[in-house]
Amino acid sequence: METSFKQNNIKNKEEKYKQFIQQYSLLIDGEKDEISVLANTTAALKEAFNFFWTGFYMIKDGELHLGPFQGSVACYRIKKGRGVCGTAWAEEKTQVVADVDKFPGHIACSSLSKSEIVVPIIHNGEIKGVLDIDSDELNTFDDTDKQYLEETIQILSSHLY
């Protein structure tokens, strides 16, 4: 299945997300292999939005472990409650951070990261992991990103688990 997620002709962020959601649902439909779905999710998000870093951390042995990602090298493990990812896990809610340097306990996997959004993957009340997206610019993420990335993760969760 060949699908292009590039959306150079769409300027409005919400419209980009709406188109992404439609394509994304088709991309993962019927696929149940977790690693495959997570890998293609990061690739699709990177292609569609050109985020600086996009990836997953999955819960294993009481920590978040690095999963499939697109971008520069990253931290291998994150403890619950530490950094933006660990906070999203502990609080069971999306974290939108305009300036990571102002986030208490931020874990700097890359000094180039300036803002971040982390969406927990929750299925039947259980957190499986988090989607982590970083930007190399301040104030990149807003309520539109939060809404549509949460919808993306809902689709992922309902297809996988």
Side-chain angles (χ1 to χ4, degrees):
M1 172 185 178
E2 185 179 325
T3 302
S4 175
F5 282 86
K6 289 189 179 184
Q7 303 174 3
N8 297 335
N9 58 332
I10 302 173
K11 303 293 184 212
N12 178 289
K13 184 192 290 192
E14 187 169 15
E15 291 305 315
K16 279 186 176 187
Y17 273 115
K18 285 178 180 179
Q19 181 176 334
F20 176 84
I21 293 289
Q22 289 177 337
Q23 291 178 300
Y24 179 69
S25 294
L26 294 172
L27 174 70
I28 67 169
D29 187 42
E31 182 56 57
K32 294 294 184 187
D33 183 80
E34 184 179 56
I35 296 296
S36 296
V37 171
L38 298 179
N40 261 345
T41 300
T42 61
L45 285 165
K46 177 75 170 169
E47 187 177 334
F49 299 99
N50 199 31
F51 293 127
F52 174 70
W53 195 94
T54 304
F56 289 95
Y57 282 92
M58 304 307 289
I59 297 171
K60 180 180 175 186
D61 301 325
E63 293 181 304
L64 289 170
H65 286 248
L66 180 63
F69 70 93
Q70 297 271 318
S72 56
V73 297
C75 302
Y76 284 107
R77 291 176 190 82
I78 299 173
K79 294 190 181 309
K80 190 172 191 175
R82 290 218 45 231
V84 183
C85 290
T87 300
W89 176 19
E91 294 183 4
E92 300 183 14
K93 69 177 190 176
T94 299
Q95 303 293 308
V96 179
V97 180
D99 182 347
V100 295
D101 290 332
K102 294 180 180 174
F103 188 88
H106 175 252
I107 301 168
C109 296
S110 169
S111 61
L112 299 176
S113 178
K114 302 296 181 204
S115 59
E116 187 170 1
I117 186 167
V118 179
V119 181
I121 304 166
I122 303 173
H123 183 72
N124 290 336
E126 178 187 355
I127 297 188
K128 304 286 190 178
V130 299
L131 168 64
D132 179 18
I133 302 178
D134 293 9
S135 173
D136 56 358
E137 297 177 8
L138 294 171
N139 301 304
T140 297
F141 306 105
D142 58 22
D143 287 338
T144 299
D145 298 286
K146 180 180 182 293
Q147 174 188 340
Y148 287 100
L149 291 171
E150 286 177 346
E151 185 175 339
T152 300
I153 292 306
Q154 178 97 16
I155 293 166
L156 178 143
S157 177
S158 68
H159 276 78
L160 272 184
Y161 306 113

